[in-house]
Each structure stands twice: as structure tokens, then as C-alpha cells.
Amino acid sequence: RGWFHVDQGQYLEAIECFDLASAIAITNHSAVIGKAYALKRLDRVNEAYDLMDQLVQRAPAEAGGFYNRACYG
């Protein structure tokens, strides 16, 4: 549902969905990346970067974390 809200421009709702997905499955990297994307769209780039930095620290094999961190840095 998070990406649905992103597609609709409903970024706060998207963040809520991505948070819920992350709480259910802490290894859900797609939810973390989605939340960072929604944060960026809300011009909360520093928060998006910090989230990606945490993902890179937690899961260095997750290439999406490195890519998105570079985009937000």
C-alpha cells in the first residue's frame, strides 16, 4: 500500500504504510527504501539520507541502500 500512496502523491500516508511494513518485517528493505523516497518527496532529504545510511550499515549487501544513499547525499 505504501507505493500506492506514493503514486497518488500521498507521502505522509505512504510513510505510515512503510513504517508498518518495516515493523512487521524488519528486513523489509523495500519498505525502508520506499519510506526514504516519500521523505525525499516531502523535502525531508536529510531524514531520507539518514534512513539509507542506517540501511547500508544494517544490510551492506543491499545495493538499493547504497544507490539511494548516493542519490540523497
Side-chain angles (χ1 to χ4, degrees):
R1 293 184 335 173
W3 287 110
F4 169 80
H5 288 296
V6 166
D7 289 343
Q8 300 300 309
Q10 302 166 341
Y11 303 115
L12 293 176
E13 293 86 349
I15 289 169
E16 290 177 12
C17 290
F18 290 130
D19 280 342
L20 180 60
S22 293
I24 293 169
I26 196 163
T27 59
N28 187 340
H29 302 141
S30 176
V32 176
I33 291 169
K35 179 179 179 178
Y37 180 82
L39 287 167
K40 181 181 177 197
R41 299 298 294 170
L42 290 170
D43 204 28
R44 293 164 56 182
V45 179
N46 289 339
E47 291 176 71
Y49 179 86
D50 290 344
L51 198 57
M52 288 297 91
D53 196 46
Q54 292 170 17
L55 177 59
V56 167
Q57 299 299 319
R58 248 190 356 239
E62 175 58 49
F66 284 101
Y67 172 79
N68 285 288
R69 186 178 66 172
C71 291
Y72 303 151

